[in-house]
Amino acid sequence: MVGIPRLDAIVQALLHLTAPRDVWAAARMEVEVGQETGRDRLVEVLLSLGYQRMPLVEGPGQMSARGGIVDMFPPTSPYPVRVEFFGDEVEALRYFDAESQRSTADIKRVSVPPAGEVLLTREWVERAL
């Protein structure tokens, strides 16, 4: 039947375990121009938040790092974001076009939520062991 959800699918969804709401809120990272974060630290955080490392960012939940640049596509963002570093400082944040890989607009700040349902933070890995 069309339009009527199956009871077993609803039960499966209710039984699906996810992290508590406060854990999701704490997992969010804010990145802004002038912030002292460091490229390697940002990459580590993105991977722990479930971002998939790719050669080029083409879709939500992906990230790429090369030289002093980290590209990422937060699932809540309309466009992928390019983070440019000067040393450990975020020098610039820009939206970019996923097809051409060219920057389209400067931004001052971006909120980076988890890319999926699984959080691989050290705390959660230790809890699982």
Side-chain angles (χ1 to χ4, degrees), residues 16-34:
H16 186 75
L17 296 177
T18 60
R21 185 182 311 228
D22 60 330
V23 171
W24 283 106
R28 178 176 299 275
M29 179 181 189
E30 302 294 323
V31 180
E32 59 186 302
V33 174

Side-chain angles (χ1 to χ4, degrees), residues 31-37 42 68-72 80-96 103 105-110:
V31 180
E32 59 186 302
V33 174
Q35 180 178 352
E36 293 281 333
T37 299
L42 178 58
I69 295 174
V70 175
D71 290 343
M72 61 183 167
V81 176
R82 179 160 292 141
V83 184
E84 296 179 19
F85 287 91
F86 182 76
D88 285 342
E89 182 181 334
V90 175
E91 183 176 47
L93 287 170
R94 295 185 173 93
Y95 285 132
F96 70 93
S103 296
D106 291 340
I107 57 175
K108 297 290 181 197
R109 179 185 191 128
V110 64

Side-chain angles (χ1 to χ4, degrees), residues 31-117:
V31 180
E32 59 186 302
V33 174
Q35 180 178 352
E36 293 281 333
T37 299
R39 174 198 175 272
D40 293 340
R41 175 70 181 130
L42 178 58
V43 169
E44 178 184 321
V45 169
L46 290 172
L47 293 174
S48 75
L49 291 176
Y51 286 76
Q52 182 181 16
R53 192 172 203 151
M54 304 292 288
L56 292 175
V57 171
E58 299 174 322
Q62 297 178 346
M63 60 83 54
S64 174
R66 61 201 178 285
I69 295 174
V70 175
D71 290 343
M72 61 183 167
F73 201 149
T76 55
S77 175
Y79 306 101
V81 176
R82 179 160 292 141
V83 184
E84 296 179 19
F85 287 91
F86 182 76
D88 285 342
E89 182 181 334
V90 175
E91 183 176 47
L93 287 170
R94 295 185 173 93
Y95 285 132
F96 70 93
D97 178 63
E99 284 188 32
S100 69
Q101 297 290 308
R102 292 189 177 170
S103 296
T104 57
D106 291 340
I107 57 175
K108 297 290 181 197
R109 179 185 191 128
V110 64
S111 183
V112 186
E117 296 178 12

